[in-house]
Amino acid sequence: MLDRSRPYGRSPRDLKPGVHDASPEHYWLMRRDLSQIHRPLGWPDSLHRVDFSRENAVAVHRLLRLGTELGGGRVPDFETWLDGFENDPEFDPALCFVLEDSSGVIAVAQCWTSAFIRNLVVHPRLQGQGVGLALLNHVFETFAARHEGHVDLKVMESNLTARRLYERAEMYYVQRCELEPR
């Protein structure tokens, strides 16, 4: 439900939480306009993109679950999550972007066919090195090539690190919503 308890601005581009807004009971819908795509940033040479597969599914799911522990959000149990790739039309294995290094899976952006980033996680040991921004730009480039107008995601208001990353990626705040009880 939209929290209308305080005004944020006249237009969606004017919306922005204050520096002290970090409620664990709220999340934000954020958007990136794809009409002007910049040259994508590359990730470090020690990383390489691999296709999502049954072979790396356990490691991908484990990283997504770690992301929810650290930043909020929800990822179902492994079998339910994996079943989505076969039975949910929003899931497409080609839209699950996986980065690996010599230790294994270190970053994932799982997207839906509706140009929505369902989950984005970078392993804590690589955060702050531009991997998340490079992965986001790869997602934006992919959806622009599919002729989408924008990409959306939801971020917990309390996840300040993720919010800063999305702001750097030129995403803007669209709507503040109350978190539904589990």
Side-chain angles (χ1 to χ4, degrees), residues 56-106:
N56 64 16
V58 170
V60 167
H61 185 262
R62 188 178 313 122
L63 183 60
L64 291 174
R65 293 296 288 246
L66 175 64
T68 63
E69 290 171 19
L70 300 174
R74 300 174 185 162
V75 175
D77 66 87
F78 179 72
E79 292 301 325
T80 303
W81 173 79
L82 189 60
D83 184 61
F85 285 101
E86 295 175 0
N87 296 311
D88 187 334
E90 280 276 29
F91 283 66
D92 179 352
L95 296 175
C96 186
F97 305 101
V98 181
L99 296 179
E100 291 185 346
D101 68 3
S102 59
S103 299
V105 174
I106 55 87

Side-chain angles (χ1 to χ4, degrees), residues 93-148:
L95 296 175
C96 186
F97 305 101
V98 181
L99 296 179
E100 291 185 346
D101 68 3
S102 59
S103 299
V105 174
I106 55 87
V108 176
Q110 181 185 1
C111 303
W112 284 341
T113 57
S114 58
F116 186 87
I117 300 172
R118 173 65 179 97
N119 291 294
L120 185 134
V121 179
V122 175
H123 195 281
R125 70 181 167 83
L126 285 170
Q127 290 178 357
Q129 298 181 34
V131 175
L133 189 57
L135 190 53
L136 273 172
N137 281 317
H138 181 76
V139 168
F140 299 150
E141 182 181 31
T142 299
F143 280 112
R146 294 169 67 118
H147 307 291
E148 295 289 349

